[in-house]
Amino acid sequence: MSADPNARTASFPSPPGGGGRRGSRALVYLLPALLAAAVAVALGTYGKVHDPAGTAFNLAGFSSTGAVKSWLATFAFFFALIQLLSALAMYGRLPGVRAPSWTGTLHRWSGRIAFLIAVPVAVHCLYALGYQTYSTRVMWHSFLGCFFFGAFSAKMLLLRAERIPGWLLPVIGGLVFTVLTALWLTSALWFFRTTGVTT
């Protein structure tokens, strides 16, 4: 029996239970998780093996690098808070608040600004101080800093994904905000309480 080389290839049915779709759905969760882990581990490893330089930058008008970092972290936290409130408004979770048409734009830009402000703080922490564990506060701050950028990377990847559950982005976004809050509490707030609210 001879086969026609120009004949159309027969399509084979998917495995029972939609295995192909289940596999692609698993990738939607697996890829962001792997990216988050890779980013967090890479940052932590660099911070641990890198010889701390002591300082990475300073800005005129500030008394110390700690003050610069604390104020930048506070501004980043402020814009992250705006992003949280705008997200709650868009999802209808703020009682009596109807989200205006520009809420989506506010949400996106507040997140971008918060991230851009957080980057120099993270660069300074990694380059100048490294991954430190000499106290409980510093240990948690180092861990959460790496975790934050991992979770943020996963969130950015999920924004481009299709057919994800409606609850996933709010959960990841809430996690990113919670970790950023913990970072602010273990750095900027600690600095202001220790040295006073100074520039």
Side-chain angles (χ1 to χ4, degrees):
M1 177 174 148
S2 62
D4 181 2
N6 298 319
R8 292 169 57 93
T9 304
S11 60
F12 293 95
S14 298
R21 186 175 299 161
R22 189 176 304 149
S24 63
R25 175 166 282 192
L27 280 178
V28 169
Y29 299 105
L30 185 61
L31 288 179
L34 289 175
L35 177 66
V39 169
V41 169
L43 291 175
T45 302
Y46 172 79
K48 196 68 177 170
V49 302
H50 171 68
D51 188 22
T55 187
F57 69 86
N58 207 343
L59 293 178
F62 286 90
S63 58
S64 66
T65 304
V68 175
K69 284 173 48 185
S70 298
W71 280 108
L72 286 177
T74 300
F75 289 135
F77 178 68
F78 171 76
F79 282 104
L81 189 59
I82 292 175
Q83 190 181 46
L84 173 68
L85 293 174
S86 59
L88 291 173
M90 287 190 303
Y91 281 98
R93 300 298 184 189
L94 291 179
V97 175
R98 187 174 176 195
S101 59
W102 45 263
T103 306
T105 302
L106 175 65
H107 178 76
R108 287 187 297 274
W109 276 102
S110 59
R112 290 169 183 161
I113 293 171
F115 179 76
L116 290 175
I117 295 174
V119 167
V121 177
V123 168
H124 182 277
C125 286
L126 278 174
Y127 181 75
L129 305 174
Y131 192 103
Q132 301 287 341
T133 56
Y134 61 85
S135 73
T136 302
R137 177 190 67 82
V138 171
M139 177 193 70
W140 277 109
H141 184 74
S142 296
F143 172 78
L144 291 171
C146 298
F147 186 86
F148 169 80
F149 282 95
F152 182 86
S153 301
K155 181 187 174 188
M156 292 300 101
L157 188 60
L158 285 170
L159 284 175
R160 302 296 178 194
E162 296 179 358
R163 295 192 299 267
I164 62 172
W167 56 266
L168 187 55
L169 270 179
V171 167
I172 297 297
L175 177 64
V176 169
F177 176 79
T178 301
V179 174
L180 183 63
T181 301
L183 282 169
W184 182 78
L185 291 172
T186 55
S187 60
L189 181 62
W190 174 86
F191 178 85
F192 291 140
R193 291 180 66 183
T194 303
T195 65
V197 182
T198 58
T199 56

